[in-house]
Amino acid sequence: MEPIRALVPFVHVADMEVSMDFYQRIGFEVKNTHTPDGETLPVWAYLVSDRAQIMIAKASAPIIAGEQAVFFYVYVDDVQAKHAELTANGFAPAPIKIQFWAPQGEFRLMDPDGYLLMITHT
């Protein structure tokens, strides 16, 4: 069986500028965008941080935060340092919790469209 090389989340967002800014502020870099002819803002973007990747696209319908049924697990080397960095950058991450699957802790951070990022240790 041919192995799967990568799995990249592709999510719809309400506001491309707000979402691109959010993901850049938490550590991603915009690698590619697409802006249709005659428009001024991108309708699609590809963002990368180390080996992490995400694609976002402008939603054609309202995003209902309470109905987001997917969590994004974001792996970092130092959970406490990332929590402190995000707090210093004006975010309000949830407190770090120790779980049996996350002995060095994990915490939640909500993106602008209500997608839940679980930030934990690799």
Side-chain angles (χ1 to χ4, degrees), residues 32-45:
N32 200 359
T33 63
H34 173 71
T35 304
D37 291 339
E39 296 197 26
T40 58
L41 296 175
V43 296
W44 172 87

Side-chain angles (χ1 to χ4, degrees), residues 13 15-35 40-47 54-57 91 111-113:
V13 300
D15 185 309
M16 289 294 293
E17 286 184 308
V18 168
S19 292
M20 286 190 306
D21 179 62
F22 172 85
Y23 282 99
Q24 287 177 63
R25 289 181 57 215
I26 68 167
F28 282 81
E29 177 183 351
V30 176
K31 286 292 191 179
N32 200 359
T33 63
H34 173 71
T35 304
T40 58
L41 296 175
V43 296
W44 172 87
Y46 171 65
L47 299 97
I54 188 169
M55 290 187 285
I56 61 174
F91 292 101
D111 91 346
D113 292 289

Side-chain angles (χ1 to χ4, degrees), residues 18-120:
V18 168
S19 292
M20 286 190 306
D21 179 62
F22 172 85
Y23 282 99
Q24 287 177 63
R25 289 181 57 215
I26 68 167
F28 282 81
E29 177 183 351
V30 176
K31 286 292 191 179
N32 200 359
T33 63
H34 173 71
T35 304
D37 291 339
E39 296 197 26
T40 58
L41 296 175
V43 296
W44 172 87
Y46 171 65
L47 299 97
V48 176
S49 180
D50 192 21
R51 293 178 296 169
Q53 306 165 59
I54 188 169
M55 290 187 285
I56 61 174
K58 175 76 174 133
S60 59
I63 303 293
I64 303 169
E67 294 181 8
Q68 304 305 340
V70 65
F71 292 178
F72 299 125
Y73 266 79
V74 178
Y75 295 99
V76 298
D77 290 330
D78 187 330
V79 174
Q80 291 186 6
K82 191 65 174 180
H83 192 277
E85 172 191 312
L86 292 171
T87 301
N89 285 331
F91 292 101
I96 295 172
K97 292 185 178 180
I98 305 299
Q99 307 288 359
F100 73 87
W101 62 85
Q104 295 184 31
E106 71 176 14
F107 63 91
R108 296 170 173 234
L109 180 68
M110 197 75 67
D111 91 346
D113 292 289
Y115 291 106
L116 182 62
L117 283 66
M118 298 296 295
I119 301 176
T120 189

